[in-house]
Every structure is written in C-alpha cells, then in structure tokens.
C-alpha cells in the first residue's frame, strides 16, 4: 500500500507541475511521503524478525541493515521538509544522504524477500522482486540527475524515467502482495490443520467415554461347587 500510494503521489506531483508547482503542493507531497515512510519503516521491521536470521544465517547482517536503514526514510523526509521551508542547504544534503541510504536498504530488503519467495516456490513474486532489485536503482537515480528547473522538451525523457520508476515500484508492490497472500494462506492452512487434529483428539476421547459408559460391569464370580463331595456316607 505504501508503494502504490508513493507512486500515485509522485505522478500527481509530476502532472500538477505542468501548471507550476506551488509551495503548498510540495509541502503536501512531503507530508504524505513522511507518513508513508513511517508506515514503511514499521512494516520493514515487521517482516524482518529475529527468526529470519535463525532460518537464513546469511541474512543476519542484511536484516540489521534493513531495519536501521528504513528508519532513515522518515528522517530524510523531515530534512527535506525543513529544507523546503527554511531553504537550508545542510538539511537538503542530509535529506538526500538519508534517502539514499534508505533506498539502498529497500533494495537489500527486496533481495532478501526474493530469496524467501524462491524458497517458497513463488516464481512470479521472485521474478518481480528480482526485477525491482536490478531496475529500481536505475529508475530512481537517473531522474535525480535532472536539474530542478528544466526546459519543456526535457519533460519527455523525465516522464519516461518516471513511468519506468512507477512500473518497477508496482512490480515490487505486486511481489510483496503475492508473498503476503501466500503467508496468509499458509497461516490459515496451518490453523485448520491444528484445529483438525484437535477435533480428532476430542472425538476420540468422546468415543472412549461412550464405550466405557456402555460396557456393563462384570458380575462377581459364583462360588465353586465341588463335583466329588467328600464324606459320602455310601462310600461312593
């Protein structure tokens, strides 16, 4: 959801810029990006728990890098917002460095999830995540080379790279969505298997109680009667 919303916000800003980008529009875009970055950072922590490193030992360092780098997304947007309000070059530089480090962490996260998708035999998700790993850096960095004030004829190549970036972001979003659906299905299937075993145990116990209740208790044995009683007066 964060990725789709980020694509929508960027396209709206680009289209609205044909009539001139106002300060209110830029600030609204930055506030939206700040909120989305907070949600994205929280989601990145949720999908990189400690058991990921326990199952894949090689993910120990990438997991830590992803967790702490994604926190830089909100930091980068805060610096960007302060730079837009105060026109401070230091804040602009800090914002760019923070977003660059956070973007590298996003690529590492996509690579980790690509390996997870491959092990889960989710071929479509793995292919989309792999495409995001290789194409997202290019689609993100190339538009940064354009100056802030450009001629009208340069909007065409800039728009093409923007559409490429949007397409790669949607590829990443679709790959994550497929993984999320797979995990949801696996959890439901595991829960159904657990409840099924529990129902089998309860049914077995109920049958045992019914069988025990239907069995009549054994009667006490009759006294033994000797076939050849002793002390026969006739001597037989």
């Amino acid at each position: 959801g964060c990725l789709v919303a980020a694509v929508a916000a960027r396209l709206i800003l680009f289209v609205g810029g044909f009539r001139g980008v106002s300060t209110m529009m830029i600030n609204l875009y930055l506030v939206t990006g700040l909120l989305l970055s907070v949600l994205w950072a929280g989601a990145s922590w949720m999908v990189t728990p400690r058991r990921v490193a326990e199952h894949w030992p090689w993910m120990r360092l990438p997991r830590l890098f992803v967790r702490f780098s994604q926190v830089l997304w909100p930091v980068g947007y805060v610096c960007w917002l302060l730079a837009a309000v105060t026109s401070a070059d230091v804040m602009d530089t800090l914002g760019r460095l923070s977003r660059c480090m956070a973007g590298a962490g996003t690529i590492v996260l996509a690579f980790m999830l690509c390996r997870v998708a491959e092990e889960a035999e989710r071929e479509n998700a793995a292919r989309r995540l792999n495409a995001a790993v290789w194409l997202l850096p290019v689609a993100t960095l190339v538009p940064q080379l354009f100056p802030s004030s450009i001629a009208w004829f340069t909007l065409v190549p800039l728009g093409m790279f923007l559409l490429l970036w949007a397409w790669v972001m949607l590829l990443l979003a679709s790959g994550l969505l497929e993984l999320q659906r797979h995990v949801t299905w696996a959890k439901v299937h595991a829960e159904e298997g657990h409840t099924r075993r529990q129902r089998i145990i309860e049914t077995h116990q109920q049958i045992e109680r019914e069988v025990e209740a239907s069995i009549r208790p054994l009667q006490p044995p009759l006294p033994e009667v000797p076939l050849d009683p002793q002390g026969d007066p006739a001597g037989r």
Side-chain angles (χ1 to χ4, degrees), residues 14-175:
F14 181 75
V15 174
F18 285 102
R19 296 183 178 180
V21 181
S22 62
T23 304
M24 180 181 295
M25 182 180 295
I26 294 177
N27 293 337
L28 182 60
Y29 172 78
L30 295 179
V31 171
T32 302
L34 176 61
L35 296 177
L36 293 176
S37 65
V38 172
L39 293 175
W40 176 263
S44 300
W45 276 70
M46 291 177 62
V47 300
T48 54
R50 182 177 299 177
R51 61 180 177 271
V52 171
E54 295 175 356
H55 186 76
W56 294 281
W58 65 269
M59 287 190 183
R60 186 173 291 107
L61 292 179
R63 166 185 167 272
L64 296 177
F65 177 71
V66 167
R67 282 198 155 192
F68 291 102
S69 65
Q70 298 311 284
V71 180
L72 294 177
W73 278 121
V75 175
Y77 273 98
V78 169
C79 293
W80 194 357
L81 185 60
L82 292 176
V85 174
T86 61
S87 300
D89 295 335
V90 177
M91 288 298 173
D92 183 66
T93 302
L94 290 177
R96 290 179 181 273
L97 291 176
S98 299
R99 295 195 305 274
C100 182
M101 185 66 66
T106 301
I107 300 302
V108 175
L109 176 61
F111 177 75
M112 293 171 57
L113 295 177
C114 180
R115 302 282 81 81
V116 174
E118 289 180 351
E119 184 163 335
E121 297 182 354
R122 302 289 96 188
E123 296 181 359
N124 290 333
R127 184 165 52 250
R128 293 165 183 171
L129 292 171
N130 184 65
V133 169
W134 294 101
L135 296 178
L136 191 57
V138 177
T140 304
L141 294 177
V142 171
Q144 305 301 322
L145 301 177
F146 287 82
S148 56
S149 300
I150 58 178
W152 64 269
F153 57 86
T154 57
L155 290 176
V156 176
L158 179 60
M160 293 177 63
F161 278 103
L162 180 61
L163 291 178
L164 174 63
W165 173 84
W167 176 66
V168 177
M169 289 280 284
L170 294 179
L171 279 180
L172 178 58
S174 61

